[in-house]
């Protein structure tokens, strides 16, 4: 594995026009009511959180993609093409789960032609090791909570506001990684500390 690369975690999540019902506040005796059209239109979002393996001072990087419907191999390759532009030729080690579209024959053939990208697989049934799960949860608990939009554009706008909120706080993406228990930068042994 290239030690001077971006370690990027990627995951997909679904959203729909059905509101994500969350607890809220209201004046005593006035139960809040939420009205929405019973609309099952769905969108999928792919989030990618990147952390530099040797230079944490470069900050975390967040890429985000939202599309109607669900992702298949072709849709994920489109996301990776955008990620290639985003990382401008830097090396990327992409960590994702065992979804069939991630490891399809077409995906492996496309990745084989990419000199900037290496794939690593997350352990099976271990979503708690992917910081993007926490990113999606943060969006669903804040910007998408109780949102009764009439169109997928409303969901897209709220999601974009959430991405801006997360990008505005440089510590938040690092907290997602810390919550997984994973570390990219092991502590120096006592005899090799930088201050000596």
């Amino acid at each position: 594995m290239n030690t001077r690369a971006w370690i990027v975690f990627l995951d997909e999540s679904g959203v729909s026009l059905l509101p994500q019902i969350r607890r809220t506040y209201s004046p005593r005796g006035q139960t809040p009511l939420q009205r929405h059209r019973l609309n099952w239109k769905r969108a999928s979002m792919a989030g990618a959180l990147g952390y530099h393996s040797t230079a944490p001072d470069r900050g975390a990087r967040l890429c985000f993609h939202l599309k109607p419907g669900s992702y298949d191999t072709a849709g994920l390759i489109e996301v990776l093409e955008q990620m290639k532009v985003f990382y401008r030729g830097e090396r990327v080690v992409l960590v994702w789960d065992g979804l069939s579209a991630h490891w399809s024959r077409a995906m492996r053939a496309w990745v084989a032609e990419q000199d900037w990208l290496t794939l690593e697989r997350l352990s099976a049934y271990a979503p708690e090791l992917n910081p993007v799960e926490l990113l999606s949860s943060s969006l669903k608990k804040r910007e998408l909570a109780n949102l009764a939009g009439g169109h997928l554009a409303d969901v897209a706008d709220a999601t974009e506001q959430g991405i801006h909120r997360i990008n505005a706080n440089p510590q938040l993406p690092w907290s997602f990684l810390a919550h997984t228990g994973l570390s990219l930068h092991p502590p120096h042994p006592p005899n090799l500390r930088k201050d000596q």
Side-chain angles (χ1 to χ4, degrees):
M1 181 186 300
N2 188 338
T3 58
R4 294 185 179 273
W6 286 90
I7 309 300
V8 178
F9 295 87
L10 190 141
D11 197 29
E12 305 83 17
S13 181
V15 293
S16 75
L17 290 180
L18 292 177
Q20 302 271 335
I21 303 300
R22 297 289 185 251
R23 184 179 299 240
T24 187
Y25 296 97
S26 67
R28 183 176 294 190
Q30 297 179 19
T31 303
L33 298 176
Q34 187 170 51
R35 300 187 194 286
H36 64 88
R37 297 182 220 168
L38 191 58
N39 192 326
W40 292 92
K41 283 188 182 176
R42 293 187 53 81
S44 294
M45 50 186 178
L49 275 172
Y51 307 90
H52 200 275
S53 60
T54 58
D57 54 314
R58 292 182 72 177
R61 287 188 178 175
L62 171 59
C63 301
F64 207 78
H65 188 267
L66 187 70
K67 73 181 253 21
S70 58
Y71 285 103
D72 57 6
T73 299
L76 288 170
I77 288 173
E78 179 185 324
V79 171
L80 295 178
E81 288 282 6
Q82 291 179 8
M83 188 184 298
K84 180 178 182 179
V85 172
F86 185 76
Y87 282 98
R88 294 181 188 96
E90 292 190 72
R91 299 275 311 145
V92 170
V93 176
L94 184 65
V95 182
W96 57 8
D97 58 28
L99 182 72
S100 59
H102 293 172
W103 302 98
S104 68
R105 191 172 291 155
M107 178 63 76
R108 287 181 298 186
W110 183 84
V111 169
E113 298 173 359
Q114 309 301 311
D115 62 351
W116 62 280
L117 183 63
T118 304
L119 297 182
E120 293 291 335
R121 189 175 188 151
L122 272 174
S123 302
Y125 305 107
E128 68 277 3
L129 295 178
N130 194 336
V132 181
E133 293 278 352
L134 296 161
L135 165 75
S136 299
S137 177
S138 177
L139 292 171
K140 289 178 180 181
K141 288 178 181 173
R142 288 263 311 254
E143 285 77 15
L144 298 176
N146 301 316
L147 176 67
H151 305 282
L152 284 176
D154 299 330
V155 173
D157 290 344
T159 303
E160 187 174 341
Q161 290 173 5
I163 295 302
H164 289 304
R165 171 181 59 85
I166 291 167
N167 275 331
N169 181 347
Q171 295 304 318
L172 201 49
W174 288 102
S175 72
F176 296 152
L177 180 65
H179 190 75
T180 66
L182 300 175
S183 173
L184 300 178
H185 311 286
H188 296 284
N191 59 348
L192 295 176
R193 290 198 180 162
K194 290 183 177 182
D195 56 348
Q196 292 182 350

